[in-house]
Amino acid sequence: MVTAVDRGRWSCVLDGDPERPIVAMRARELGRTPIVVGDRVDVVGDLTGRPDTLARIVRVAERTTVLRRTADDTDPFERVVVANAGQLVIVVALADPPPRTGFVERAMVAAYAGGLRPILCLTKHDLAAESEFAAEFADLDLTIVFGGRDDPLDAIDALLRDQLSCLLGHSGVGKSTLVNRLVPEAERAVGAVSGVGKGRHTSTQSVALPLPGGGWVIDTPGIRSFGLAHITPDDVIQAFADLADAIEDCPRGCTHLGPPADPECALDDLPGKQRRVAAIRLLLVALNSNDPWVVGNG
Ligand SMILES: Nc1nc2c(ncn2[C@@H]2O[C@H](COP(=O)(O)OP(=O)(O)OP(=O)(O)O)[C@@H](O)[C@H]2O)c(=O)[nH]1
Ligand SMILES: [Mg+2]
Ligand SMILES: [Zn+2]
C-alpha cells in the first residue's frame, strides 16, 4: 500500500509489515498513471527498505473507492486524491476557522460518488457551542463525532479501527492535531491557524499512518476548494439505496431538485421519504452551486 508520495517517489508498506517502509519509483511502462496514497501496488526490485534502495511499482490494483476532486467546478481535469479509503472523515472546526456553508455537503457528495462512507468530525468545541450546525444532516444518517483537542478518543477510535480512513478539511481545523493523538508516534507538524486563502498550510502532503489498534488514517493537507465537476446528480442519488431505483422514473435530464426546476421528479412520489429527499436535495444544491465554497443563499 502506498503511504506517501513525494516528488516522483512513493513510500509503500508491504502487506503485514508496516514497520518496514520501502521507497519506490514508478516503472516506465506505467507512463503517467496516477499513483496515490491508499493505492495497492505490485512492487519488484530491492524490497529491503534499506537506505538508498529503490523498488519499482509495476502495477496499480483496481481501486475499491476513489476520492476525486477537480481544482474548481469548471475545471474538468480530475485528480484522484486518495484511493481505497472506506471512510471520509470530514473535519470541521466549530470556530477558528468557522464552518463554511456548503463544505460538508460538497465533501459528502465527493464521498458518496467515490464509494466512501462519510463521517463528520467536529473540533474546537471548547471555542464554540455546536449550535444547530449538524442538524441539517440528521436525515442523511451521517455519523457525527467530536475530535477536538480535549475530546475523549473512544468514539473515533472505534469508528476508525481496522479501516482505511481519510481526513479532509480546511487548513487549521485540527486534522494533524487529531492524527497526533490517534497515532502517538506520528509527530505530524501542527500549525497556527493561518486563514484560508493565505495559502499557508502546515501539512503539504497526504500521509497514511498505522493506527495502534489496527487500520490506517490518512492526514491530508488543508484544502482550498473541492471542485465536483466530475459528479452528476444521478451519481449522488445512486449512493442512497432506498432512492436509487426511483429515479429511473424521472424524465430524461432530471436534476432531481424538484419543482420548479424538475416538476416531474420521481423523488416527489415517495411517501414517507420526503424529509430524506429534502436533505439529499441540499447535497444536490451544493453540487450545483458551481462554486467550490458557497451554496444556495447560505
Ligand atoms: N482550541 C482548540 N484548538 C485546536 C483544537 N484542535 C486543534 N487546535 C489548534 O488548531 C491549530 C491548527 O491545527 P492543525 O492540526 O495544524 O490543523 P490542520 O487541519 O492539520 O491544518 P493543515 O495542515 O494546514 O491543513 C493548532 O494551533 C492546534 O493546536 C481544538 O479542539 N481546540
Ligand atoms: Mg495538518
Ligand atoms: Zn428526478
Side-chain angles (χ1 to χ4, degrees), residues 247 250-251 254-257 262 264-267 281:
I247 61 168
C250 286
C254 185
T255 62
H256 314 305
L257 287 170
D262 307 296
E264 293 174 67
C265 181
L267 295 181
R281 280 179 171 157

Side-chain angles (χ1 to χ4, degrees), residues 115-195:
L116 294 82
R117 170 196 181 203
I119 293 171
L120 179 59
C121 175
L122 301 173
T123 61
K124 310 203 186 186
H125 202 196
D126 52 307
L127 301 180
E130 187 198 353
S131 69
E132 65 279 25
F133 175 70
E136 180 194 320
F137 310 107
D139 292 300
L140 294 175
D141 312 321
L142 181 63
T143 302
I144 301 175
V145 285
F146 287 98
R149 212 165 45 190
D150 310 321
D151 295 314
L153 288 178
D154 323 28
I156 201 157
D157 257 341
L159 283 169
L160 301 191
R161 178 144 318 147
D162 295 332
Q163 300 275 332
L164 176 58
S165 308
C166 175
L167 304 187
L168 184 78
H170 293 125
S171 187
V173 295
K175 299 179 294 297
S176 298
T177 302
L178 176 60
V179 163
N180 285 340
R181 293 181 66 210
L182 292 166
V183 187
E185 58 276 23
E187 295 172 357
R188 295 287 285 164
V190 165
V193 177
S194 62

Side-chain angles (χ1 to χ4, degrees), residues 37-78:
V37 172
D39 262 324
R40 315 277 319 182
V41 294
D42 289 345
V43 283
V44 300
D46 191 328
L47 307 182
T48 59
R50 288 198 203 99
D52 299 322
T53 59
L54 200 54
R56 238 166 46 248
I57 297 175
V58 292
R59 198 180 78 89
V60 183
E62 199 179 320
R63 295 170 176 146
T64 56
T65 72
V66 255
L67 182 66
R68 286 196 180 86
R69 57 170 285 198
T70 55
D72 63 55
D73 280 354
T74 53
D75 168 12
F77 191 73
E78 287 177 36

Side-chain angles (χ1 to χ4, degrees), residues 66-81 88 102-103 105-111 113-114 168 170 223-232 286-294:
V66 255
L67 182 66
R68 286 196 180 86
R69 57 170 285 198
T70 55
D72 63 55
D73 280 354
T74 53
D75 168 12
F77 191 73
E78 287 177 36
R79 292 150 230 267
V80 179
V81 181
L88 182 67
F103 170 68
E105 291 87 338
R106 295 181 67 85
M108 287 177 76
V109 165
L168 184 78
H170 293 125
I223 51 153
R224 293 184 182 84
S225 68
F226 210 80
L228 303 174
H230 56 291
I231 296 174
T232 67
L287 171 66
N288 287 350
S289 66
N290 202 27
D291 175 332
W293 293 124
V294 188

